[in-house]
Amino acid sequence: SVGEVYLVGAGPGDPELLTFKALRLMQQADVVIYDRLVSPQVLDLCRRDADLIYVGKERDNHSVPQQGINELLVQHARQGRRVVRLKGGDPFIFGRGGEEIEELQAAGIPFQVVPGITAASACSTYAGIPLTHREYAQSVRFVTGQLKNRTSDLNFDELVHPNQTIVFYMGLHTLERLCAGLIEHGKPVATPVAIVSQGTSAHQRVLTGTLESIVELQREAQLPAPAIVIVGEVVKLRSRLAWFGESERGQANA
Amino acid sequence: SVGEVYLVGAGPGDPELLTFKALRLMQQADVVIYDRLVSPQVLDLCRRDADLIYVGKERDNHSVPQQGINELLVQHARQGRRVVRLKGGDPFIFGRGGEEIEELQAAGIPFQVVPGITAASACSTYAGIPLTHREYAQSVRFVTGQLKNRTSDLNFDELVHPNQTIVFYMGLHTLERLCAGLIEHGKPVATPVAIVSQGTSAHQRVLTGTLESIVELQREAQLPAPAIVIVGEVVKLRSRLAWFGESERGQANA
């Protein structure tokens, strides 16, 4: 008989931010197929005798291409196994979860999806930066900083309006172009920016500056990926609201 | 000695979507101050002998006004108690968590913030609607549908661009004006829309239609709050990707 696939969001890294549902399914799984953004501490919570299969997902260099991952899921489920597809953050927010379950649906394999705390939410919280705030931001937007074909294909006109918070996922390696694009399209150069690197982990570091200064600050600080980039007035609140201990190298204009 | 305040996101309703950190703090709390959006199943998981204080938050009719909530937190912590401030969803996404901890910070009271799975993420997942998708949406935006002074003060120009998903929180009672505003500003009338009511609970119901049809469909279906409204091409995927059982009354053009 056919197995089942659970597409599970592992959250941002801190294993205490896993949900009960995620852990329950991880402990029932015969096979766990996971990628680079799942923390080792989370992986340790899988069933002891489950097969763990790493499918990578380096930027621009997927260890297993997406189509291969889709096929792995189908193949293991067809062998009657309970498969957990474990993804960093949330499967439906830049997680390509939709593509994976489209394949399962087409193959007639039952599936469930478990939301996880997405990086934008967890990392901003652990950095003391509310994504919305009555006075500063009435909306928040999640955008991928990973630009197709290495050319800027973001619609910057949409991103320069005031009173919104923008969170770029995977924006570290395109930081310079993102800041330049926002400035060119009219976003004030003094707009506060934060980089949250390895958010929620013991290695979390936060760098704050402005659209004008952050590129140079990051050049000096060299915070590592994974990281999110937060743009908006709410970043200012961090100076008062930070609560999670970390070593911080730069703090400019914030 | 002074106590501590934990601002905890309770997630969307399904108690299995609580995080381990949320539960741990809920079980340590001397006092739990909670509002309307926290589900009874989640509340049941608080420490048996904790004092539970309800502070409401009906729309336009807060049982305890925000300033009163802020003061309650300070007052209990000053008595040396461990206080959990339990909020539906996530404290930093339309949760006014920033305002509450600004008050704590000003009063010198230690605090921590625990992110929760926000309604947009959980409800879209349980409705089979990925918020981002390679082909349909490269960004997602969370907007409050609660309009100040009952007049439309949304910048609709920002919301009509293609290739984005928009999720309106608390948009049910302003649905007609939201749809009219989007259409007037150029969003195609055939744009798919979903309402997810009481998402992730056993009472979850989903209504799908278009910007043109959803108001009439909801007039007939009368789905109750709390609900989110999802606007964008990704809503189409639901017809293939829905996995969570529910009674559904309307399914139009999707």
Side-chain angles (χ1 to χ4, degrees):
Chain A
S1 69
V2 74
E4 191 167 9
V5 176
Y6 311 116
L7 196 62
V8 174
D14 179 347
E16 271 217 307
L17 294 179
L18 264 185
T19 65
F20 285 90
K21 189 162 187 181
L23 184 71
R24 178 168 60 80
L25 296 175
M26 286 161 63
Q27 298 202 333
Q28 290 173 358
D30 302 306
V31 195
V32 177
I33 297 176
Y34 70 101
D35 57 41
R36 195 172 54 87
L37 291 173
V38 176
S39 75
Q41 294 84 348
V42 167
L43 214 55
D44 275 347
L45 300 170
C46 292
R47 211 179 86 190
R48 285 277 161 218
D49 56 346
D51 290 338
L52 301 184
I53 301 176
Y54 176 72
V55 290
K57 279 217 173 173
E58 301 294 332
R59 177 166 56 86
D60 292 352
N61 180 23
H62 294 194
S63 306
V64 178
Q66 188 63 49
Q67 189 51 38
I69 296 172
N70 301 353
E71 283 161 17
L72 262 182
L73 297 175
V74 170
Q75 174 195 322
H76 283 280
R78 284 217 169 118
Q79 290 164 17
R81 308 177 87 186
R82 277 163 307 192
V83 182
V84 159
R85 169 68 174 118
L86 196 59
K87 302 173 92 76
D90 178 82
F92 276 179
I93 299 178
F94 305 121
R96 303 188 68 173
E99 293 168 67
E100 295 182 5
I101 60 175
E102 275 177 272
E103 193 89 6
L104 296 170
Q105 194 271 344
I109 291 163
F111 59 87
Q112 291 187 38
V113 190
V114 182
I117 295 188
T118 189
S121 171
C123 300
S124 62
T125 298
Y126 276 58
I129 300 170
L131 292 180
T132 67
H133 189 286
R134 206 148 234 247
E135 287 164 43
Y136 304 108
Q138 289 80 49
S139 80
V140 57
R141 181 167 196 160
F142 303 160
V143 182
T144 175
Q146 203 164 17
L147 307 172
K148 270 185 234 158
N149 308 321
R150 301 313 206 149
T151 61
S152 174
D153 49 7
L154 279 178
N155 188 341
F156 283 105
D157 283 334
E158 301 174 42
L159 302 175
V160 298
H161 298 277
N163 300 324
Q164 65 174 329
T165 306
I166 304 168
V167 182
F168 291 101
Y169 283 63
M170 299 163 284
L172 205 55
H173 61 290
T174 51
L175 184 66
E176 191 165 354
R177 277 178 292 153
L178 295 174
C179 291
L182 289 169
I183 291 170
E184 270 167 36
H185 289 76
K187 195 92 176 165
V189 294
T191 306
V193 181
I195 299 172
V196 185
S197 162
Q198 300 182 291
T200 79
S201 81
H203 307 291
Q204 174 175 309
R205 284 171 65 195
V206 182
L207 190 68
T208 56
T210 65
L211 278 181
E212 202 170 31
S213 69
I214 197 75
V215 172
E216 185 56 31
L217 289 168
Q218 164 62 2
R219 195 169 287 138
E220 287 160 19
Q222 293 288 327
L223 301 198
I228 58 159
V229 178
I230 307 173
V231 178
E233 296 299 317
V234 290
V235 168
K236 285 183 188 164
L237 293 165
R238 168 170 162 76
S239 58
R240 283 180 288 146
L241 305 186
W243 59 272
F244 181 67
E246 79 222 17
S247 60
E248 182 167 345
R249 300 290 171 85
Q251 174 91 15
N253 309 324
Chain B
S1 69
V2 75
E4 190 167 9
V5 176
Y6 311 116
L7 196 61
V8 174
D14 179 347
E16 272 218 304
L17 295 179
L18 264 185
T19 64
F20 285 89
K21 190 163 187 180
L23 184 70
R24 177 168 61 80
L25 296 173
M26 285 160 65
Q27 297 201 332
Q28 289 174 359
D30 302 307
V31 194
V32 177
I33 296 176
Y34 70 101
D35 57 40
R36 193 174 54 87
L37 290 173
V38 176
S39 74
Q41 293 84 348
V42 167
L43 215 56
D44 275 347
L45 300 170
C46 291
R47 211 178 87 191
R48 287 275 161 220
D49 56 346
D51 290 338
L52 301 185
I53 302 176
Y54 176 72
V55 290
K57 280 218 171 172
E58 302 293 332
R59 178 166 55 86
D60 292 351
N61 180 22
H62 294 195
S63 306
V64 178
Q66 188 62 49
Q67 189 52 37
I69 297 173
N70 301 353
E71 282 161 17
L72 262 182
L73 297 175
V74 170
Q75 174 194 322
H76 283 280
R78 284 215 169 118
Q79 290 164 16
R81 308 177 87 187
R82 278 164 306 191
V83 182
V84 160
R85 169 68 174 116
L86 196 58
K87 301 174 92 79
D90 178 83
F92 276 180
I93 299 178
F94 305 121
R96 304 188 68 173
E99 291 168 67
E100 294 181 6
I101 61 176
E102 274 177 275
E103 193 89 5
L104 296 170
Q105 194 272 343
I109 290 163
F111 60 86
Q112 290 186 38
V113 190
V114 182
I117 295 188
T118 189
S121 171
C123 299
S124 62
T125 298
Y126 277 58
I129 300 170
L131 292 180
T132 67
H133 189 286
R134 207 148 234 246
E135 288 163 42
Y136 305 108
Q138 288 81 49
S139 80
V140 57
R141 183 168 195 157
F142 303 160
V143 182
T144 175
Q146 203 163 18
L147 306 172
K148 269 184 235 158
N149 308 321
R150 300 311 204 150
T151 62
S152 173
D153 50 6
L154 279 178
N155 187 342
F156 282 104
D157 282 334
E158 300 174 44
L159 302 176
V160 297
H161 298 276
N163 300 324
Q164 65 174 331
T165 306
I166 305 168
V167 183
F168 291 101
Y169 283 63
M170 300 162 284
L172 205 55
H173 62 289
T174 52
L175 184 67
E176 190 165 354
R177 276 179 292 153
L178 295 175
C179 291
L182 290 169
I183 291 170
E184 269 168 37
H185 288 76
K187 195 93 175 163
V189 294
T191 305
V193 182
I195 299 171
V196 185
S197 161
Q198 299 182 291
T200 80
S201 81
H203 307 291
Q204 173 175 309
R205 283 171 64 195
V206 182
L207 190 68
T208 55
T210 65
L211 277 182
E212 202 170 30
S213 69
I214 197 76
V215 171
E216 185 55 32
L217 289 168
Q218 164 63 1
R219 194 169 288 135
E220 287 159 20
Q222 294 286 327
L223 300 197
I228 58 159
V229 179
I230 307 173
V231 178
E233 296 298 318
V234 291
V235 168
K236 285 182 188 166
L237 293 165
R238 168 171 162 76
S239 57
R240 283 182 288 145
L241 304 186
W243 57 273
F244 182 66
E246 77 221 17
S247 59
E248 182 167 344
R249 300 291 170 85
Q251 175 89 13
N253 309 324

